[in-house]
Amino acid sequence: MNFQQLRIIRETVRRNFNLTEVSNALYTSQSGVSKHIKDLEDELGVELFIRKGKRLLGLTEPGKEMVKIVERMLLDAKNIKTVAEQFSQQDKGQLTIATTHTQARYALPKVVMEFKKIYPRVHLKLHQGSPTEIAQMLLEGEADIGVATEALGQIPELATFNYYSWHHSVIVPTGHTLESQQPLTLAAIAEFPIVTYHEGFTGRALIEKAFGDAQIAPDVVLSALDADVIKSYVELGLGVGIIASVAFNAVRDGGLTMLDCSHLFGENTTRIAVRRGHFMRRFAYHFIELCSPQLTEAVVTADVSVIALD
Amino acid sequence: MNFQQLRIIRETVRRNFNLTEVSNALYTSQSGVSKHIKDLEDELGVELFIRKGKRLLGLTEPGKEMVKIVERMLLDAKNIKTVAEQFSQQDKGQLTIATTHTQARYALPKVVMEFKKIYPRVHLKLHQGSPTEIAQMLLEGEADIGVATEALGQIPELATFNYYSWHHSVIVPTGHTLESQQPLTLAAIAEFPIVTYHEGFTGRALIEKAFGDAQIAPDVVLSALDADVIKSYVELGLGVGIIASVAFNAVRDGGLTMLDCSHLFGENTTRIAVRRGHFMRRFAYHFIELCSPQLTEAVVTADVSVIALD
DNA sequence: GATGCTTACGATACCCGTAAAGATA
DNA sequence: TATCTTTACGGGTATCGTAAGCATC
């Protein structure tokens, strides 16, 4: 058993059992991949993959068990290197944050600026994606820290921490008739076409829920991934927008007016997530602490370092 | 980084940084060991060991962090093999129980007999040692299950479960004057020389505590590792014995009489322990369940599989 | 002087990649 | 037929063990 074999096992699962892809991903030859799998299976005396003729189709029962352990081991192999860097490179290194447009654009900039000032030699990589993509990146070890409102909380392999809470707001072109309707009601909003976020993004679920509970069927004419796109179309008069309050800036968004509707939709909580068992550099913990001062390294590790093996 | 290097790191710590011993333990050459360490340190860019000239003296800070992770990885490497056997060998395999004399001789026999009947093809290895040795064996992966009254409860890396509770009894040569003194008192016992267990064995601590609390200083003239030795000397008239009640058998121990003293010394609880993160074969869980029916596989894994990394 | 670690060097085994053959869709 | 996996084989590399040299106690 060697590490290359373990990497191949993991990659084979990730690449849907296509060994050619695996070999490319790991920069080696198919033949080598094939042989490594066979060697490992021989050594263990168990078939790890379900085969139909020569094709691999999936994991056998022992294979499933195995992959869990293999993932842990490779995670630990990476942890070893991180620990080494911790000591040999001190304030130098890399930090990958996976986050959504909303957070990257409206919540994180001031944290990033602070962080950059403290750790000028740390290469900060901001990776943008959907909440599920963010979760995926964390699980695969491609990102250290995830920030999103959705999807992170339900995954047992991820430790999550509350970052901040926020509400939605309605935006309309300045002078819109809704401006006089204070306080806003769901029914009043639903009179107009709606422009808001995609499903699975930035609290869209709570918007659905609020209308659903009120038995109102809003006419969502356009859904977008980010507030900037939404604002553009609201400006063009396509409909009224529902966005996160933090995404509105009275100065920059001159032609628009924001209407409070914190009483209409539920409260959203944006979360910070770290993969359990993922060892992080000091500065990574510090990044989290910059987001929310009570999330100290001690608080975060207490949660991140407890893992259920199962 | 490869597994041989990891094994060498772990063994170096266990063998007190004597690379010659390490090479013997791993059936390889010193030169290889030496080079592997150097290679790994070069790869990681960190010195793992404190050196004085050519001698290794201990672990550096990064070394300490590293060793924790290395231990986990090697544990997982072993787990992989265990999982494989689980599927390829089904009812065949090996099970190592580390336990004290008392448990091996008086508590476990009926469990072992039952187990053997169910799993005739499992090679059962009973390893006898002191409670601390048992803990050590569990931590080093040399034993699957530990059974002892002492030492197991305080180690965070071990998950422990109550097996059964018991009291001490006094044994005397039949016809001894103490027989008429019912109920027994600590003072009455302390009139005679005492023969009992060694420190750190089979509830000796509670005996000390009882006498200490009563401000009585008993004259322990002989301490032994097991009840058989104690009984022999009590029979010879060296003194009165204090042993675990389970260790007395009215038929076999003909010349002796057991006197109840459950009111004098505290209750002892014998525990079953498993190293957290140590994957065990089905039959191992079954062994535990045979000891105590409420300790099902689900109950045990729920505890064993939760580990704090840090 | 005995023990323990490192370096040098030759033999071996392992790993990789090319190429050809076989299987699957 | 195009895609994918396995097997065979040769070249390169890494690992291992012996032996010699050197440091430590």
Side-chain angles (χ1 to χ4, degrees):
Chain A
M1 180 165 62
N2 60 48
F3 282 103
Q4 180 70 341
Q5 290 170 341
L6 302 186
R7 276 190 292 268
I8 286 172
I9 296 299
R10 178 176 68 178
E11 208 62 30
T12 301
V13 176
R14 290 191 181 170
R15 305 273 163 182
N16 256 292
F17 311 100
N18 180 326
L19 299 192
T20 307
E21 268 191 55
V22 171
S23 64
N24 291 331
L26 298 179
Y27 305 105
T28 182
S29 63
Q30 289 122 305
S31 69
V33 168
S34 196
K35 187 158 192 320
H36 265 311
I37 291 178
K38 199 172 182 316
D39 286 350
L40 184 59
E41 288 184 327
D42 287 350
E43 181 184 339
L44 297 175
V46 187
E47 299 245 307
L48 301 179
F49 297 100
I50 299 171
R51 291 173 167 79
K52 184 174 179 186
K54 287 193 170 183
R55 302 287 169 107
L56 305 194
L57 293 179
L59 287 167
T60 61
E61 275 307 312
K64 286 180 199 165
E65 289 287 328
M66 225 56 96
V67 166
K68 286 190 223 161
I69 306 178
V70 168
E71 298 247 341
R72 277 214 303 279
M73 295 184 72
L74 292 173
L75 182 61
D76 268 338
K78 195 179 172 187
N79 286 342
I80 281 189
K81 287 174 189 159
T82 309
V83 170
E85 283 170 14
Q86 174 89 278
F87 287 90
S88 66
Q89 318 238 330
Q90 300 292 359
D91 59 348
K92 222 171 105 187
Q94 216 190 48
L95 178 61
T96 305
I97 314 283
T99 186
T100 57
H101 173 93
T102 307
Q103 308 309 325
R105 169 110 200 245
Y106 300 105
L108 292 178
K110 67 167 178 289
V111 176
V112 169
M113 290 313 293
E114 265 190 277
F115 182 83
K116 268 281 160 197
K117 205 183 296 174
I118 306 173
Y119 300 102
R121 300 179 64 204
V122 171
H123 184 69
L124 196 65
K125 253 173 117 170
L126 265 183
H127 204 289
Q128 196 179 322
S130 72
T132 51
E133 284 168 343
I134 293 167
Q136 191 63 16
M137 286 191 70
L138 290 171
L139 292 176
E140 297 195 353
E142 285 172 43
D144 300 294
I145 298 173
V147 183
T149 308
E150 277 86 6
L152 303 179
Q154 297 85 272
I155 302 167
E157 284 87 356
L158 298 182
T160 65
F161 309 91
N162 289 349
Y163 178 11
Y164 69 99
S165 293
W166 51 272
H167 280 92
H168 287 100
S169 284
V170 163
I171 52 168
V172 291
T174 305
H176 194 276
T177 54
L178 266 184
E179 283 183 35
S180 53
Q181 287 245 5
Q182 299 280 5
L184 276 177
T185 63
L186 290 173
I189 295 171
E191 294 283 314
F192 301 90
I194 306 282
V195 184
T196 188
Y197 299 105
H198 247 123
E199 279 96 27
F201 279 79
T202 323
R204 169 70 187 266
L206 284 186
I207 296 174
E208 293 299 308
K209 187 177 182 306
F211 282 112
D213 287 352
Q215 303 211 303
I216 296 172
D219 175 25
V220 178
V221 290
L222 187 111
S223 63
L225 293 179
D226 61 83
D228 297 300
V229 171
I230 296 171
K231 286 188 279 193
S232 301
Y233 284 94
V234 170
E235 241 171 334
L236 292 172
L238 200 70
V240 309
I242 305 177
I243 61 171
S245 307
V246 287
F248 185 81
N249 181 310
V251 178
R252 203 168 40 209
D253 303 324
L256 299 170
T257 302
M258 180 167 88
L259 308 176
D260 180 64
C261 59
S262 51
H263 56 294
L264 296 181
F265 306 112
E267 186 183 67
N268 290 279
T269 300
T270 299
R271 284 206 170 77
I272 297 172
V274 178
R275 194 203 201 296
R276 292 184 189 280
H278 176 71
F279 186 94
M280 295 194 299
R281 298 288 300 274
R282 273 280 144 68
F283 52 70
Y285 291 105
H286 199 169
F287 184 93
I288 295 175
E289 194 173 348
L290 287 175
C291 290
S292 177
Q294 70 263 35
L295 296 179
T296 60
E297 176 164 347
V299 169
V300 175
T301 44
D303 210 344
V304 170
S305 73
V306 174
I307 64 177
L309 307 178
D310 169 56
Chain B
M1 180 164 63
N2 60 47
F3 282 104
Q4 181 70 340
Q5 291 170 341
L6 301 186
R7 277 191 292 269
I8 286 172
I9 296 299
R10 178 176 69 177
E11 208 61 29
T12 301
V13 176
R14 289 189 181 171
R15 305 275 164 182
N16 255 296
F17 311 100
N18 182 327
L19 298 191
T20 307
E21 268 191 54
V22 171
S23 65
N24 291 330
L26 298 179
Y27 305 104
T28 182
S29 63
Q30 290 124 302
S31 69
V33 169
S34 198
K35 187 158 191 322
H36 264 313
I37 291 179
K38 200 172 180 316
D39 286 349
L40 184 58
E41 289 185 326
D42 286 349
E43 182 183 338
L44 297 176
V46 186
E47 299 245 305
L48 300 177
F49 296 101
I50 299 171
R51 291 172 165 81
K52 185 175 177 182
K54 286 193 171 185
R55 303 285 169 106
L56 304 195
L57 294 179
L59 287 167
T60 60
E61 273 308 310
K64 286 180 199 166
E65 289 288 328
M66 226 56 97
V67 166
K68 286 189 225 163
I69 305 177
V70 168
E71 298 246 338
R72 276 214 305 278
M73 295 184 72
L74 292 172
L75 181 61
D76 269 337
K78 197 179 171 188
N79 286 343
I80 280 188
K81 287 175 187 155
T82 310
V83 171
E85 283 170 14
Q86 174 90 279
F87 288 89
S88 66
Q89 318 237 330
Q90 300 292 358
D91 59 347
K92 222 172 107 188
Q94 218 192 44
L95 178 62
T96 305
I97 315 281
T99 185
T100 58
H101 173 93
T102 307
Q103 308 309 326
R105 171 109 199 245
Y106 300 104
L108 293 178
K110 67 167 179 293
V111 176
V112 169
M113 291 312 294
E114 263 190 277
F115 182 83
K116 268 280 158 199
K117 205 183 298 173
I118 306 173
Y119 301 102
R121 300 178 64 204
V122 171
H123 183 69
L124 196 64
K125 252 173 116 171
L126 265 182
H127 204 287
Q128 197 179 320
S130 70
T132 50
E133 284 167 344
I134 292 168
Q136 192 64 16
M137 286 189 70
L138 290 171
L139 291 176
E140 297 195 354
E142 286 171 42
D144 299 295
I145 298 173
V147 182
T149 308
E150 278 86 5
L152 303 179
Q154 298 84 274
I155 301 167
E157 284 87 356
L158 298 181
T160 67
F161 310 91
N162 289 349
Y163 178 10
Y164 68 99
S165 293
W166 52 272
H167 281 92
H168 287 101
S169 284
V170 163
I171 53 167
V172 290
T174 304
H176 194 276
T177 53
L178 267 183
E179 284 183 35
S180 53
Q181 287 245 4
Q182 299 280 5
L184 276 178
T185 62
L186 290 173
I189 296 171
E191 294 282 313
F192 301 90
I194 306 284
V195 183
T196 189
Y197 300 106
H198 248 124
E199 279 97 28
F201 280 79
T202 323
R204 169 72 187 265
L206 284 186
I207 298 175
E208 293 298 308
K209 187 176 181 309
F211 281 114
D213 287 352
Q215 302 213 305
I216 297 173
D219 176 25
V220 178
V221 291
L222 187 110
S223 63
L225 292 180
D226 61 83
D228 297 300
V229 171
I230 296 171
K231 286 188 279 195
S232 302
Y233 284 94
V234 170
E235 241 170 335
L236 293 173
L238 199 71
V240 309
I242 305 177
I243 62 171
S245 309
V246 288
F248 185 81
N249 180 309
V251 178
R252 202 168 42 206
D253 302 323
L256 298 172
T257 302
M258 179 167 87
L259 308 175
D260 178 66
C261 59
S262 52
H263 56 295
L264 296 181
F265 305 112
E267 185 183 67
N268 290 279
T269 301
T270 298
R271 283 205 170 78
I272 297 172
V274 178
R275 193 202 202 295
R276 292 183 190 279
H278 177 71
F279 186 94
M280 294 195 300
R281 297 288 300 274
R282 271 281 143 69
F283 53 69
Y285 290 105
H286 200 170
F287 184 93
I288 294 175
E289 194 172 349
L290 288 175
C291 290
S292 177
Q294 69 264 34
L295 297 179
T296 59
E297 176 164 347
V299 169
V300 175
T301 43
D303 211 343
V304 170
S305 72
V306 173
I307 65 175
L309 306 179
D310 181 45

